[in-house]
Amino acid sequence: MSLLSFCGKVAVGVSCLIVIAFVILILLAVFCVGLGAYASYTNQHAAQDAQQTYQNVSAKINIGVAGIHGAVSNITGK
């Protein structure tokens, strides 16, 4: 077996492994997206949970903004 033939077989093998890994990763991504969609669809309280989370985050942002305004007022005296 010549060196060129050996390198060609190695290249083909590596290419096949890359394609197989890509296909497996695509299938895994499809499975994860499907699982997430199913979980969202079957969760009857998803909208309520999202609304509560949004309210909590909004309250924390407002507290942070108020703190920044207070700090700026302390620094600038305005």
Side-chain angles (χ1 to χ4, degrees):
M1 175 182 297
S2 69
L3 180 62
L4 186 60
S5 175
F6 175 74
C7 290
K9 288 182 182 181
V10 169
V12 168
V14 169
S15 299
C16 289
L17 289 175
I18 290 172
V19 169
I20 290 170
F22 180 74
V23 169
I24 289 172
L25 288 174
I26 293 296
L27 290 174
L28 182 63
V30 168
F31 173 75
C32 290
V33 168
L35 186 63
Y38 175 76
S40 294
Y41 178 73
T42 56
N43 184 0
Q44 300 299 323
H45 304 290
Q48 294 169 350
D49 293 344
Q51 182 180 12
Q52 184 63 42
T53 301
Y54 177 78
Q55 289 173 349
N56 291 343
V57 169
S58 294
K60 289 180 181 179
I61 289 172
N62 289 335
I63 290 170
V65 169
I68 290 171
H69 285 289
V72 169
S73 295
N74 290 341
I75 293 170
T76 61
K78 293 182 181 179

